């Protein structure tokens, strides 16, 4: 330990401690001559108590001198600082590794400073107490190690480096202190042969060390490692919002939040949490946390109508506030406008061609995501498609050429078209008028399956191969696949199928191999052709439970709504793949309204832009660029960056386990405040106070 | 203590020119004080009759004898008939100290003259022994009223100087007295000689009445000094440097011990002791003494 002063200039005030002696001497010199009759008594007193009075005077002089000296010393801010190098070991080179990971943002108990600030302050104290001949190098350890200052004896250079790291502040990433040790060892290996030491100024959290052992440069004997914890003695109980999932549920949305509590003691009360949408509180709740346990809380909100938006789940803050809130993406509920062309309208509702379709698209008519308008082919005009995203031609024999032309343009521009067969469909006519709208030409209408026993009708056949990876049919990939098996189709249109490619393909077949559902592309639009009917004339599917989700999904797919991917979510420092538009040659990453990065062709991997520079949590918007101009089109609007989950666990490392991990490097753990400079001001002032009391007692005697 | 505006306060008395005038004022004060007292009268024991002569107090006429014999006789009392009072006034250097209007010497002189006036006023003999200087001055007791002028003149001529030798007074008194008498000592008793009161005990042992007025200045009693001071003796070259705040308690304790010892020693020898502060009106210690003396006589 070495004694230094934070205000050494004030030590000149020690000269003031000579004042009592001076005053005493001046008093003696200035003693007033006073004739007095009872001198005898004074002489007797003097004779009797001369020694006592002299002792008292000396004591008072000493006390007053000490008193002034103590006050001056206390004002000068005396600090006891642990010295880096032991005096008898000769010159030492020390590498100070300052942990600047996210967890260092935790505040110290009863203090407004964070752990990072404390670490820099301690580094500053160690540099201030640098013994001549010793050298120090400075590193900042996060996910990447930054050399702040190479090894030097110059305190000025080291202070400059510390000022720089303090100005840049604490990082947001996760730490890798083993990598920090390795980097520090590499710096020490360049030093001349002398005692070497690595001092890690960290919160001492176990997560920072991982599990691997450090690898030292060849020829370097394992240096001594001092892990100096900058946290106070107390454990830091930290909770974190570790995950937020958004699940649409009809007109509602469920926001499921997961909380983790890294603590040794149970929380005395429930944790309050709040969902914020557009900065306003949308829901509140409480979560009961147990030590080391995970808790979930589900907030159910009415799904907002409109565009997607960023939401935030915020819990009450603790000493590490950065992990007490988490962004999430909430896709707004958007309505799909559909135009339904009814080719076989009937007066009896359940016999109507669109009876099942209409009920499937708007199951309860309240909060339905699909809104539609139904017309007959005669009323199909070019303006009928205005505002629609999807058109359904159900069992339509013929429409006007103008309507067909507008329908073609509608699909080419990105609209969706669902075609279904039926009794009104004339194969030749349909091939002629629909033309390129059909994925494949129609060949004929065929009966399917054996006859019933009474010979009255066909039994029909079920579905065969289903492309479960397709967005329309992926919902049948689980147990629901079995539900499709009850569908029986008695009649269907046979297609002139050919080679499948990315412009047309078969999504579902009947058990006999005939196409049941095919997809074609025209321009930017999509066409789905169902080869049977949407009512129960040719198939029983409309009466089956799988019909409703199929149609909902098909219309959503045709409208493009299923293409809206949620933005990727990553942790600070991780890479993110951002889908690229075909014509894009660059991407602009924006954060907080300013451009964070410009990505070019070189950043494209496997058809997507890859960005690895997200250095802080938050929302990053992206713009696809082509020739310097921004593009519009279906792609992710941006991505969310979260704090590293591992940084929330502030439980301290086990020294014995760490020693085993470090191998031959000797580990010294300086816990709590042992490594901190100890201020002696308070003690000196207490001593001064005791002296004042002693003086008062002495004067009274 | 009385207020400084009192006609008998030291401040007022000090403004009166001449010891005689001051004495007159003090004697009036004493007589007035005694009149106010429940036990007024100077003496209580009848001794003999004396034929009236001009100058005698008509209050003492024996009206019963006048009615029976048609002659004027005066009643004489025990004390008055035998009293030969010698007033020993200490005028050594230490008595020159004074923090108020009077030095101790001036104050003691006023008391001495006032006592002499009171004694002569009732027809007793009063003498003076002036201590201090090279040799003491002695005026033998005389019972004539005009003797007061001699006493006052001798006192006014004296100056507080020289060392203290209180034994001189006892020695002179013993050598000159032919009958039982009274020796009144007015002094600060700051005599460096060991057991200075031994000779006075001898006087008392011979049947004389000894009264000691211990005259002290308030400064000596309270030691109110603050600043570091070089205290210098007023009788010789002795001096002492002291920080008053540090020695005050010890000094006061020392003084108190001295006063207690003196008071006890005098009481054991049958002597009267009266502590006198120079900031109190001079008639008060006299009244205190006379009142106490009468009370003692009544009970003895």
């Amino acid at each position: 330990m070495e004694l230094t002063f934070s205000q050494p200039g004030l030590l000149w005030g020690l000269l003031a401690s000579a004042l009592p002696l001076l005053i005493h001497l001046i008093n003696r010199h200035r003693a007033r001559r006073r004739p007095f009759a009872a001198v005898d008594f004074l002489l007797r007193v003097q004779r009797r108590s001369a020694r006592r009075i002299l002792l008292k005077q000396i004591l008072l002089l000493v006390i007053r001198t000490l008193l002034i000296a103590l006050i001056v010393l206390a004002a000068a801010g005396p600090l006891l600082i642990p010295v880096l190098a032991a005096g008898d070991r000769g010159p030492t080179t020390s590498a100070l590794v300052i942990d600047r990971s996210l967890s260092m943002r935790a505040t110290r108990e009863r203090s407004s400073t964070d752990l990072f600030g404390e670490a820099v302050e301690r580094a500053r104290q160690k540099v201030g107490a640098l013994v001549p001949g010793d050298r120090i190098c400075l590193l900042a350890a996060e996910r990447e190690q930054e050399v702040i200052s190479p090894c030097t004896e110059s305190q000025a250079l080291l202070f400059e480096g510390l000022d720089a790291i303090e100005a840049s502040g604490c990082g947001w990433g996760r730490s890798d202190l083993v990598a920090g040790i390795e980097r520090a060892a590499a710096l020490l290996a360049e030093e001349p042969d002398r005692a070497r030491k690595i001092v890690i100024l960290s919160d001492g959290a176990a997560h920072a060390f991982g599990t691997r052992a450090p690898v030292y440069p060849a020829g370097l004997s394992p240096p001594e490692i001092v892990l100096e914890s900058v946290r106070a003695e107390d454990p830091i109980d930290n909770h974190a919002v570790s995950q937020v999932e958004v699940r649409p549920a009809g007109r509602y949305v469920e926001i499921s939040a997961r909380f983790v509590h890294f603590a040794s003691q149970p929380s005395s009360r429930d944790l309050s949490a709040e969902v914020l949408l557009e900065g306003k509180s949308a829901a509140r709740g409480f979560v009961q946390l147990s030590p080391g346990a995970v808790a979930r809380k589900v907030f159910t909100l009415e799904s907002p109508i409109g565009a997607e938006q960023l939401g935030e789940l915020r819990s009450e803050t603790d000493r590490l506030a950065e992990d007490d809130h988490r962004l999430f993406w909430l896709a707004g509920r958007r309505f799909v406008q559909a135009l339904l062309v009814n080719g076989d309208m009937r007066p009896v509702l359940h016999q109507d061609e669109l009876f099942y379709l209409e009920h499937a698209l708007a199951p309860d008519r309240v909060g339905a995501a699909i809104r539609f308008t139904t017309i007959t082919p005669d009323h199909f005009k070019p303006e009928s498609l205005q505002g629609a995203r999807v058109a359904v031609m159900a069992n339509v024999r013929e429409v006007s050429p103008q309507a067909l032309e507008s329908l073609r343009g509608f699909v080419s521009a990105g609209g969706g078209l669902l075609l279904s067969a039926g009794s009104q469909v004339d194969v030749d006519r349909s091939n002629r008028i629909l033309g390129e709208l059909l994925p494949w030409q129609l060949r004929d209408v065929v009966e399917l399956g054996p006859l019933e026993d009474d010979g009255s009708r066909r039994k029909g056949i079920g579905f065969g191969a289903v492309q479960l990876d397709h967005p329309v049919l992926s919902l049948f990939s689980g147990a629901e696949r079995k539900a499709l098996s009850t569908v029986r189709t008695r009649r269907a249109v046979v297609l002139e199928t050919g080679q499948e490619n990315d412009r047309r393909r078969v999504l579902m077949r009947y058990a006999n191999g005939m196409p049941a559902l095919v997809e074609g592309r025209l321009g930017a639009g999509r066409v789905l052709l169902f080869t049977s009917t949407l009512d129960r004339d040719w198939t029983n599917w409309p009466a089956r439970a799988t019909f409703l989700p199929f149609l909902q999904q098909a219309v959503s797919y045709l409208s493009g709504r299923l293409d809206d991917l949620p933005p990727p979510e990553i942790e600070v420092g991780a890479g993110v793949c951002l889908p690229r538009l075909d014509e894009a040659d660059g991407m602009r990453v924006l954060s907080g309204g300013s451009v964070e990065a410009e990505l070019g062709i070189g950043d494209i991997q496997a058809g997507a832009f890859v960005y690895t520079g997200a250095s802080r949590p938050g929302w990053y918007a992206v713009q696809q660029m082509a020739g310097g101009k921004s593009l519009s089109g279906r792609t992710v609007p941006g991505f969310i960056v979260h704090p590293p989950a591992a940084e929330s666990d502030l439980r301290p490392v086990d020294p014995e386990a760490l020693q085993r991990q470090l191998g031959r490097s000797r580990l010294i753990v300086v816990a709590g405040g042992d490594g901190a400079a100890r201020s002696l001001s308070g003690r000196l002032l207490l001593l001064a106070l005791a002296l004042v009391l002693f003086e008062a007692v002495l004067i009274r005697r | 203590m009385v207020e400084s505006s009192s006609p008998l306060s030291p401040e007022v008395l000090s403004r009166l020119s001449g010891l005689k005038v001051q004495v007159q004022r003090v004697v009036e004060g004493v007589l007035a004080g005694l009149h106010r007292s429940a036990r007024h009268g100077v003496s209580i024991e009848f001794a003999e009759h004396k034929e009236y002569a001009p100058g005698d107090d008509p209050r003492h006429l024996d009206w019963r004898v006048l009615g029976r014999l048609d002659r004027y006789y005066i009643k004489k009392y025990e004390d008055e008939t035998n009293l030969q009072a010698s007033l020993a006034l200490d005028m050594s250097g230490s008595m020159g100290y004074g923090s108020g209007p009077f030095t101790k010497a001036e104050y003691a002189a006023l008391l001495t003259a006032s006592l002499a006036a009171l004694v002569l006023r009732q027809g007793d003999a009063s003498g003076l022994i002036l201590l201090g200087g090279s040799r003491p001055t002695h005026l033998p007791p005389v019972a004539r009223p005009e003797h007061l002028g001699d006493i006052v003149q001798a006192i006014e001529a004296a100056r507080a100087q020289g060392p203290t030798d209180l034994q001189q007074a006892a020695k002179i008194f013993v050598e000159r007295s032919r009958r039982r008498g009274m020796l009144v000592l007015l002094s600060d008793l700051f005599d460096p000689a060991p057991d200075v009161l031994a000779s006075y005990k001898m006087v008392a042992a011979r049947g004389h009445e000894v009264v000691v007025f211990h005259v002290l200045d308030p400064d000596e009693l309270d030691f109110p000094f603050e600043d570091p001071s070089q205290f210098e003796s007023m009788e010789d070259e002795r001096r002492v440097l002291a920080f008053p705040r540090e020695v005050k308690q010890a000094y006061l304790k020392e003084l108190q011990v001295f006063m207690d010892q003196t008071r006890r020693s005098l009481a054991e020898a049958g002597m009267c002791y009266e502590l006198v502060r120079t900031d109190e009106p001079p008639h008060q210690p006299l009244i205190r003494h006379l009142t106490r003396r009468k009370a003692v006589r009544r009970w003895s």
Side-chain angles (χ1 to χ4, degrees), chain A residues 31-37 40-41 44 46 48 57, chain B residues 97 220 225 228-232 238 241 243 246 254:
Chain A
R32 182 178 165 185
R33 296 179 63 187
R34 192 188 293 276
F36 193 59
D40 260 356
F41 297 102
R44 253 179 268 167
Q46 200 82 322
R48 192 167 300 165
Q57 283 181 342
Chain B
Y97 186 82
E220 292 161 346
F225 310 112
S229 304
Q230 180 87 34
F231 292 96
E232 297 176 344
R238 289 176 302 166
L241 175 68
F243 294 85
E246 289 171 11
E254 195 74 31

mmCIF file of all heavy atoms in Angstrom, chain A residues 31-37 40-41 44 46 48 57, chain B residues 97 220 225 228-232 238 241 243 246 254:
data_model
loop_
_atom_site.group_PDB
_atom_site.id
_atom_site.type_symbol
_atom_site.label_atom_id
_atom_site.label_comp_id
_atom_site.label_asym_id
_atom_site.label_seq_id
_atom_site.Cartn_x
_atom_site.Cartn_y
_atom_site.Cartn_z
ATOM 1 N N ALA A 31 3.697 39.014 27.646
ATOM 2 C CA ALA A 31 3.057 38.910 28.969
ATOM 3 C C ALA A 31 3.036 40.279 29.657
ATOM 4 O O ALA A 31 4.054 40.964 29.741
ATOM 5 C CB ALA A 31 3.826 37.909 29.819
ATOM 6 N N ARG A 32 1.873 40.642 30.165
ATOM 7 C CA ARG A 32 1.674 41.961 30.751
ATOM 8 C C ARG A 32 2.271 41.981 32.171
ATOM 9 O O ARG A 32 2.085 41.040 32.936
ATOM 10 C CB ARG A 32 0.174 42.233 30.793
ATOM 11 C CG ARG A 32 -0.198 43.558 31.316
ATOM 12 C CD ARG A 32 -1.716 43.679 31.237
ATOM 13 N NE ARG A 32 -2.159 44.799 32.039
ATOM 14 C CZ ARG A 32 -3.417 45.100 32.257
ATOM 15 N NH1 ARG A 32 -4.356 44.348 31.726
ATOM 16 N NH2 ARG A 32 -3.746 46.142 32.981
ATOM 17 N N ARG A 33 2.970 43.078 32.503
ATOM 18 C CA ARG A 33 3.489 43.213 33.872
ATOM 19 C C ARG A 33 2.343 43.675 34.751
ATOM 20 O O ARG A 33 1.668 44.648 34.445
ATOM 21 C CB ARG A 33 4.636 44.212 33.905
ATOM 22 C CG ARG A 33 5.834 43.725 33.095
ATOM 23 C CD ARG A 33 6.949 44.714 33.116
ATOM 24 N NE ARG A 33 7.464 44.927 34.455
ATOM 25 C CZ ARG A 33 8.366 45.858 34.774
ATOM 26 N NH1 ARG A 33 8.836 46.659 33.836
ATOM 27 N NH2 ARG A 33 8.786 45.991 36.017
ATOM 28 N N ARG A 34 2.178 42.959 35.846
ATOM 29 C CA ARG A 34 1.016 43.261 36.682
ATOM 30 C C ARG A 34 1.426 43.179 38.162
ATOM 31 O O ARG A 34 1.678 42.085 38.674
ATOM 32 C CB ARG A 34 -0.077 42.230 36.386
ATOM 33 C CG ARG A 34 -1.448 42.568 36.956
ATOM 34 C CD ARG A 34 -2.388 41.403 36.776
ATOM 35 N NE ARG A 34 -2.707 41.122 35.397
ATOM 36 C CZ ARG A 34 -3.663 41.750 34.708
ATOM 37 N NH1 ARG A 34 -4.359 42.727 35.295
ATOM 38 N NH2 ARG A 34 -3.896 41.423 33.460
ATOM 39 N N PRO A 35 1.522 44.357 38.875
ATOM 40 C CA PRO A 35 1.779 44.314 40.316
ATOM 41 C C PRO A 35 0.625 43.603 41.006
ATOM 42 O O PRO A 35 -0.539 43.849 40.677
ATOM 43 C CB PRO A 35 1.827 45.796 40.718
ATOM 44 C CG PRO A 35 2.005 46.547 39.450
ATOM 45 C CD PRO A 35 1.368 45.738 38.376
ATOM 46 N N PHE A 36 0.960 42.714 41.913
ATOM 47 C CA PHE A 36 -0.096 41.912 42.525
ATOM 48 C C PHE A 36 0.326 41.580 43.954
ATOM 49 O O PHE A 36 1.471 41.179 44.198
ATOM 50 C CB PHE A 36 -0.302 40.642 41.709
ATOM 51 C CG PHE A 36 -1.555 39.881 42.061
ATOM 52 C CD1 PHE A 36 -2.804 40.483 41.944
ATOM 53 C CD2 PHE A 36 -1.491 38.582 42.528
ATOM 54 C CE1 PHE A 36 -3.949 39.781 42.273
ATOM 55 C CE2 PHE A 36 -2.634 37.883 42.853
ATOM 56 C CZ PHE A 36 -3.878 38.495 42.720
ATOM 57 N N ALA A 37 -0.616 41.745 44.851
ATOM 58 C CA ALA A 37 -0.272 41.571 46.254
ATOM 59 C C ALA A 37 -0.108 40.111 46.642
ATOM 60 O O ALA A 37 0.732 39.763 47.452
ATOM 61 C CB ALA A 37 -1.342 42.232 47.122
ATOM 62 N N ASP A 40 2.549 35.605 46.623
ATOM 63 C CA ASP A 40 2.925 34.422 47.403
ATOM 64 C C ASP A 40 2.152 33.183 46.978
ATOM 65 O O ASP A 40 2.703 32.103 46.820
ATOM 66 C CB ASP A 40 2.631 34.675 48.888
ATOM 67 C CG ASP A 40 3.915 35.046 49.605
ATOM 68 O OD1 ASP A 40 4.962 35.017 48.923
ATOM 69 O OD2 ASP A 40 3.862 35.341 50.806
ATOM 70 N N PHE A 41 0.856 33.405 46.829
ATOM 71 C CA PHE A 41 0.003 32.261 46.465
ATOM 72 C C PHE A 41 0.323 31.751 45.065
ATOM 73 O O PHE A 41 0.361 30.553 44.805
ATOM 74 C CB PHE A 41 -1.477 32.655 46.549
ATOM 75 C CG PHE A 41 -1.892 33.019 47.944
ATOM 76 C CD1 PHE A 41 -2.029 34.346 48.312
ATOM 77 C CD2 PHE A 41 -2.112 32.043 48.895
ATOM 78 C CE1 PHE A 41 -2.392 34.685 49.592
ATOM 79 C CE2 PHE A 41 -2.478 32.385 50.183
ATOM 80 C CZ PHE A 41 -2.612 33.720 50.545
ATOM 81 N N ARG A 44 3.397 29.834 45.235
ATOM 82 C CA ARG A 44 3.132 28.507 45.822
ATOM 83 C C ARG A 44 2.489 27.585 44.788
ATOM 84 O O ARG A 44 2.864 26.429 44.656
ATOM 85 C CB ARG A 44 2.209 28.654 47.034
ATOM 86 C CG ARG A 44 2.956 28.441 48.337
ATOM 87 C CD ARG A 44 2.029 28.615 49.508
ATOM 88 N NE ARG A 44 2.058 29.995 49.981
ATOM 89 C CZ ARG A 44 1.178 30.522 50.840
ATOM 90 N NH1 ARG A 44 0.195 29.790 51.282
ATOM 91 N NH2 ARG A 44 1.291 31.762 51.249
ATOM 92 N N GLN A 46 2.708 27.890 41.612
ATOM 93 C CA GLN A 46 3.731 27.603 40.602
ATOM 94 C C GLN A 46 4.662 26.489 41.075
ATOM 95 O O GLN A 46 4.988 25.585 40.319
ATOM 96 C CB GLN A 46 4.523 28.892 40.327
ATOM 97 C CG GLN A 46 5.269 28.894 39.004
ATOM 98 C CD GLN A 46 4.334 29.264 37.862
ATOM 99 O OE1 GLN A 46 3.175 28.864 37.841
ATOM 100 N NE2 GLN A 46 4.838 30.022 36.909
ATOM 101 N N ARG A 48 4.062 24.251 43.321
ATOM 102 C CA ARG A 48 3.367 22.976 43.514
ATOM 103 C C ARG A 48 2.985 22.331 42.173
ATOM 104 O O ARG A 48 3.056 21.130 42.026
ATOM 105 C CB ARG A 48 2.105 23.206 44.354
ATOM 106 C CG ARG A 48 1.490 21.953 44.853
ATOM 107 C CD ARG A 48 0.457 22.249 45.920
ATOM 108 N NE ARG A 48 1.041 22.929 47.071
ATOM 109 C CZ ARG A 48 0.345 23.561 48.018
ATOM 110 N NH1 ARG A 48 -0.956 23.608 47.934
ATOM 111 N NH2 ARG A 48 0.939 24.138 49.040
ATOM 112 N N GLN A 57 0.785 22.353 29.380
ATOM 113 C CA GLN A 57 1.063 23.273 28.274
ATOM 114 C C GLN A 57 1.665 22.529 27.084
ATOM 115 O O GLN A 57 1.298 22.778 25.934
ATOM 116 C CB GLN A 57 2.013 24.374 28.739
ATOM 117 C CG GLN A 57 1.298 25.440 29.581
ATOM 118 C CD GLN A 57 2.231 26.538 30.022
ATOM 119 O OE1 GLN A 57 3.448 26.364 29.997
ATOM 120 N NE2 GLN A 57 1.671 27.654 30.441
ATOM 121 N N TYR B 97 -2.397 47.665 46.838
ATOM 122 C CA TYR B 97 -3.111 47.147 45.660
ATOM 123 C C TYR B 97 -4.591 47.507 45.725
ATOM 124 O O TYR B 97 -5.222 47.429 46.781
ATOM 125 C CB TYR B 97 -2.975 45.627 45.579
ATOM 126 C CG TYR B 97 -3.578 45.068 44.316
ATOM 127 C CD1 TYR B 97 -2.859 45.085 43.122
ATOM 128 C CD2 TYR B 97 -4.866 44.557 44.308
ATOM 129 C CE1 TYR B 97 -3.411 44.598 41.965
ATOM 130 C CE2 TYR B 97 -5.429 44.077 43.140
ATOM 131 C CZ TYR B 97 -4.700 44.090 41.976
ATOM 132 O OH TYR B 97 -5.258 43.631 40.821
ATOM 133 N N GLU B 220 -8.075 39.834 44.193
ATOM 134 C CA GLU B 220 -7.389 38.775 44.941
ATOM 135 C C GLU B 220 -8.350 37.633 45.281
ATOM 136 O O GLU B 220 -7.926 36.482 45.381
ATOM 137 C CB GLU B 220 -6.788 39.356 46.222
ATOM 138 C CG GLU B 220 -5.652 40.313 45.940
ATOM 139 C CD GLU B 220 -5.342 41.237 47.122
ATOM 140 O OE1 GLU B 220 -6.162 41.326 48.058
ATOM 141 O OE2 GLU B 220 -4.284 41.880 47.080
ATOM 142 N N PHE B 225 -8.244 37.584 35.960
ATOM 143 C CA PHE B 225 -7.346 37.901 34.843
ATOM 144 C C PHE B 225 -7.459 36.858 33.731
ATOM 145 O O PHE B 225 -7.767 35.702 33.972
ATOM 146 C CB PHE B 225 -5.901 37.985 35.333
ATOM 147 C CG PHE B 225 -5.762 38.876 36.552
ATOM 148 C CD1 PHE B 225 -5.442 38.352 37.785
ATOM 149 C CD2 PHE B 225 -5.993 40.243 36.445
ATOM 150 C CE1 PHE B 225 -5.337 39.158 38.904
ATOM 151 C CE2 PHE B 225 -5.886 41.068 37.567
ATOM 152 C CZ PHE B 225 -5.562 40.526 38.803
ATOM 153 N N PRO B 228 -1.950 36.308 29.614
ATOM 154 C CA PRO B 228 -0.706 35.903 30.264
ATOM 155 C C PRO B 228 -0.055 37.131 30.919
ATOM 156 O O PRO B 228 0.012 38.188 30.288
ATOM 157 C CB PRO B 228 0.147 35.373 29.116
ATOM 158 C CG PRO B 228 -0.811 35.072 28.029
ATOM 159 C CD PRO B 228 -1.952 36.000 28.181
ATOM 160 N N SER B 229 0.374 36.978 32.151
ATOM 161 C CA SER B 229 0.851 38.153 32.892
ATOM 162 C C SER B 229 2.107 37.820 33.680
ATOM 163 O O SER B 229 2.320 36.676 34.093
ATOM 164 C CB SER B 229 -0.227 38.646 33.862
ATOM 165 O OG SER B 229 -1.415 38.924 33.174
ATOM 166 N N GLN B 230 2.875 38.864 33.871
ATOM 167 C CA GLN B 230 4.048 38.768 34.750
ATOM 168 C C GLN B 230 3.607 39.401 36.075
ATOM 169 O O GLN B 230 3.522 40.628 36.192
ATOM 170 C CB GLN B 230 5.197 39.568 34.125
ATOM 171 C CG GLN B 230 6.468 39.561 34.922
ATOM 172 C CD GLN B 230 7.331 38.367 34.567
ATOM 173 O OE1 GLN B 230 7.338 37.938 33.434
ATOM 174 N NE2 GLN B 230 8.050 37.835 35.528
ATOM 175 N N PHE B 231 3.257 38.591 37.045
ATOM 176 C CA PHE B 231 2.781 39.115 38.329
ATOM 177 C C PHE B 231 3.992 39.490 39.189
ATOM 178 O O PHE B 231 4.888 38.664 39.391
ATOM 179 C CB PHE B 231 1.921 38.068 39.034
ATOM 180 C CG PHE B 231 0.625 37.806 38.323
ATOM 181 C CD1 PHE B 231 0.497 36.747 37.452
ATOM 182 C CD2 PHE B 231 -0.477 38.644 38.522
ATOM 183 C CE1 PHE B 231 -0.688 36.514 36.789
ATOM 184 C CE2 PHE B 231 -1.669 38.404 37.870
ATOM 185 C CZ PHE B 231 -1.784 37.341 36.985
ATOM 186 N N GLU B 232 3.989 40.727 39.673
ATOM 187 C CA GLU B 232 5.155 41.227 40.427
ATOM 188 C C GLU B 232 4.736 41.544 41.853
ATOM 189 O O GLU B 232 3.674 42.137 42.082
ATOM 190 C CB GLU B 232 5.691 42.487 39.751
ATOM 191 C CG GLU B 232 6.200 42.201 38.348
ATOM 192 C CD GLU B 232 6.630 43.473 37.644
ATOM 193 O OE1 GLU B 232 6.246 44.567 38.118
ATOM 194 O OE2 GLU B 232 7.327 43.373 36.635
ATOM 195 N N ARG B 238 10.143 39.711 43.931
ATOM 196 C CA ARG B 238 9.619 38.441 43.443
ATOM 197 C C ARG B 238 8.636 38.682 42.299
ATOM 198 O O ARG B 238 7.870 39.652 42.307
ATOM 199 C CB ARG B 238 8.921 37.681 44.567
ATOM 200 C CG ARG B 238 9.881 37.144 45.607
ATOM 201 C CD ARG B 238 9.119 36.486 46.720
ATOM 202 N NE ARG B 238 8.196 37.428 47.334
ATOM 203 C CZ ARG B 238 7.205 37.069 48.148
ATOM 204 N NH1 ARG B 238 7.042 35.803 48.449
ATOM 205 N NH2 ARG B 238 6.397 37.973 48.667
ATOM 206 N N LEU B 241 5.677 34.469 36.114
ATOM 207 C CA LEU B 241 4.958 34.499 34.823
ATOM 208 C C LEU B 241 3.877 33.409 34.870
ATOM 209 O O LEU B 241 4.168 32.257 35.171
ATOM 210 C CB LEU B 241 5.917 34.212 33.677
ATOM 211 C CG LEU B 241 5.266 34.092 32.302
ATOM 212 C CD1 LEU B 241 4.705 35.431 31.832
ATOM 213 C CD2 LEU B 241 6.256 33.557 31.273
ATOM 214 N N PHE B 243 -0.063 31.926 33.221
ATOM 215 C CA PHE B 243 -1.227 31.992 32.322
ATOM 216 C C PHE B 243 -2.449 31.878 33.215
ATOM 217 O O PHE B 243 -2.742 30.784 33.711
ATOM 218 C CB PHE B 243 -1.157 30.876 31.292
ATOM 219 C CG PHE B 243 -0.016 31.018 30.328
ATOM 220 C CD1 PHE B 243 1.258 30.544 30.645
ATOM 221 C CD2 PHE B 243 -0.200 31.675 29.119
ATOM 222 C CE1 PHE B 243 2.300 30.699 29.766
ATOM 223 C CE2 PHE B 243 0.854 31.825 28.244
ATOM 224 C CZ PHE B 243 2.106 31.348 28.559
ATOM 225 N N GLU B 246 -4.778 29.022 33.464
ATOM 226 C CA GLU B 246 -4.249 27.733 33.893
ATOM 227 C C GLU B 246 -4.031 27.665 35.399
ATOM 228 O O GLU B 246 -4.064 26.570 35.977
ATOM 229 C CB GLU B 246 -2.945 27.444 33.154
ATOM 230 C CG GLU B 246 -3.191 27.127 31.691
ATOM 231 C CD GLU B 246 -1.899 27.044 30.903
ATOM 232 O OE1 GLU B 246 -0.832 27.019 31.517
ATOM 233 O OE2 GLU B 246 -1.987 27.036 29.658
ATOM 234 N N GLU B 254 -5.716 27.713 46.744
ATOM 235 C CA GLU B 254 -4.647 28.056 47.699
ATOM 236 C C GLU B 254 -5.113 29.172 48.639
ATOM 237 O O GLU B 254 -4.921 29.108 49.860
ATOM 238 C CB GLU B 254 -3.413 28.496 46.907
ATOM 239 C CG GLU B 254 -2.129 28.559 47.679
ATOM 240 C CD GLU B 254 -1.577 27.175 47.974
ATOM 241 O OE1 GLU B 254 -1.791 26.243 47.147
ATOM 242 O OE2 GLU B 254 -0.948 27.014 49.029
#
